[in-house]
């Protein structure tokens, strides 16, 4: 499977984290678990459609193109033969300036782009699916998004709040953060939810969870206890709770392949 990242133009980098593509072959029925990462995605399938699997054993095919809202828990998806996928990964607060849709209503679900942008969305889908390569797709999507951009919808205060949460990898007190931003907590939370789709505490927890995952990739821990405290968790109970909620697995289950000594620790 070939995964590639593309850098957005500077005129859009405040709203878009990256573009990415995935191409290759995947056996039907193969399932991949996707974790919350604090970002909303605009996805185009120019290969075979992916399936989304549900806890009750059912599944359905994803649309050809759609926006998937913030994840508050893991999902499981899988390819069906030829994989061809192009996606726009928005900054946590990046979607709102391009649409009037309530981002909170998209959480853990998707919406077809024609339901957001109407005829312009249908035309975008056709052009993206018919493009000769992903470099052309980058050009097409950037031209489209620049036409849709509503600069007055940018919330600088929320953007700053997101940056401050990211700087400390989610280890933040929301009351103190609101005070630093010189805004009441409830007012800040309302603005944050409108722009990001999550409340500040939810976003901070996901940011901390993602930081823990990054530590595992860097092998910057010796035991699961070290990992929990390095990730900003003050006790193992919260570490386990967040991990189960976002990944569907206990830390012991997930890190078994990363930490050979895991069998000596009890986290359940």
């Amino acid at each position: 499977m070939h995964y590639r990242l593309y850098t957005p133009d500077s005129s859009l980098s405040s709203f878009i984290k990256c573009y990415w593509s995935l191409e290759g072959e995947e056996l039907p029925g193969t399932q991949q678990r996707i974790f919350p990462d604090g970002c909303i995605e605009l996805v185009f399938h120019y290969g075979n459609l992916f399936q989304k699997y549900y806890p009750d054993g059912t599944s359905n095919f994803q649309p050809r193109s759609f926006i998937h809202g913030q994840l508050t828990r893991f999902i499981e998806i899988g390819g069906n033969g030829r994989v061809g996928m192009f996606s726009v990964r928005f900054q946590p607060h990046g979607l709102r300036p391009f649409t009037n849709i309530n981002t909170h209503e998209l959480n853990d679900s998707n919406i077809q782009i024609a339901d957001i942008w109407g005829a312009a969305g249908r035309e975008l889908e056709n052009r993206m699916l018919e493009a000769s390569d992903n470099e052309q797709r980058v050009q097409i999507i950037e031209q489209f998004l620049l036409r849709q951009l509503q600069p007055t919808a940018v919330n600088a205060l929320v953007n700053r709040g997101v940056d401050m949460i990211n700087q400390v990898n989610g280890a933040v007190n929301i009351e103190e953060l609101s005070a630093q931003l010189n805004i009441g907590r409830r007012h800040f939370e309302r603005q944050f939810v409108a722009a990001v789709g999550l409340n500040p505490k939810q976003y901070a927890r996901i940011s901390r969870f993602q930081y823990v995952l990054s530590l595992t990739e860097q092998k910057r821990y010796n035991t699961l206890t070290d990992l929990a405290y390095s990730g900003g968790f003050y006790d193992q109970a919260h570490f386990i709770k967040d991990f189960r909620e976002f990944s569907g697995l206990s830390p012991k289950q997930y890190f078994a392949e990363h930490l050979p000594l895991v069998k000596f620790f009890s986290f359940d």
Side-chain angles (χ1 to χ4, degrees):
M1 201 72 70
H2 180 63
Y3 176 76
R4 183 177 173 186
L5 291 173
Y6 306 82
T7 303
D9 184 80
S10 58
S11 60
L12 289 168
S13 59
S14 296
F15 314 103
I16 297 168
K17 182 172 287 190
C18 68
Y19 310 109
W20 58 267
S21 63
L22 186 66
E23 296 182 337
E25 295 286 332
E26 188 165 279
L27 292 174
T30 303
Q31 297 183 30
Q32 304 289 337
R33 188 165 289 201
I34 308 299
F35 299 152
D37 65 358
C39 296
I40 293 173
E41 302 261 354
L42 168 56
V43 180
F44 298 88
H45 286 297
Y46 56 90
N48 295 348
L49 295 179
F50 269 52
Q51 282 181 273
K52 183 176 180 180
Y53 297 90
Y54 298 94
D56 63 2
T58 62
S59 67
N60 59 22
F61 286 102
Q62 293 184 325
R64 275 286 164 201
S65 63
F66 59 94
I67 286 181
H68 201 294
Q70 293 280 7
L71 294 178
T72 64
R73 63 186 303 277
F74 74 92
I75 61 171
E76 291 185 316
I77 61 174
N80 289 279
R82 187 176 73 88
V83 174
M85 183 186 300
F86 182 91
S87 184
V88 179
R89 179 170 295 149
F90 290 95
Q91 299 284 5
H93 45 72
L95 175 64
R96 190 61 186 270
F98 300 99
T99 174
N100 293 323
I101 195 168
N102 187 336
T103 53
H104 178 68
E105 294 178 356
L106 294 177
N107 288 1
D108 297 309
S109 64
N110 61 56
I111 183 171
Q112 297 188 52
I113 63 174
D115 294 331
I116 300 176
W117 292 301
R122 286 189 289 272
E123 180 184 358
L124 172 65
E125 178 181 277
N126 291 335
R127 293 187 65 198
M128 291 292 285
L129 298 181
E130 294 171 0
S132 58
D133 54 40
N134 286 315
E135 284 74 14
Q136 186 178 21
R137 290 187 176 94
V138 170
Q139 295 177 1
I140 292 170
I141 194 64
E142 291 202 325
Q143 292 168 1
F144 176 82
L145 290 174
L146 285 170
R147 289 195 299 270
Q148 301 299 322
L149 181 60
Q150 306 167 44
T152 56
V154 176
N155 190 318
L157 185 141
V158 170
N159 294 4
R160 186 179 170 204
V162 167
D163 289 342
M164 292 171 72
I165 291 172
N166 290 341
Q167 286 169 9
V168 294
N169 302 307
V172 65
N173 180 289
I174 304 304
E175 195 75 47
E176 294 176 359
L177 176 62
S178 302
Q180 291 178 46
L181 293 169
N182 197 30
I183 185 174
R185 175 169 178 165
R186 290 187 179 180
H187 188 40
F188 176 56
E189 287 178 339
R190 284 195 294 270
Q191 292 192 35
F192 200 98
V193 169
V196 177
L198 304 167
N199 65 47
K201 184 176 180 180
Q202 285 177 307
Y203 179 75
R205 289 176 62 216
I206 290 172
S207 177
R208 185 169 58 176
F209 170 72
Q210 283 292 327
Y211 178 59
V212 167
L213 294 184
S214 73
L215 291 178
T216 69
E217 295 299 321
Q218 301 167 34
K219 306 295 183 184
R220 291 173 55 188
Y221 60 90
N222 295 313
T223 68
L224 288 178
T225 302
D226 290 342
L227 181 61
Y229 291 123
S230 296
F233 290 90
Y234 294 105
D235 58 64
Q236 295 179 10
H238 284 91
F239 180 49
I240 295 169
K241 178 179 180 295
D242 280 11
F243 229 93
R244 283 192 184 279
E245 181 175 338
F246 296 139
S247 72
L249 302 168
S250 71
K252 182 176 180 179
Q253 290 172 311
Y254 180 80
F255 293 112
E257 63 184 76
H258 298 278
L259 186 61
L261 295 179
V262 71
K263 61 185 178 183
F264 297 113
F265 298 88
S266 177
F267 275 76
D268 295 306

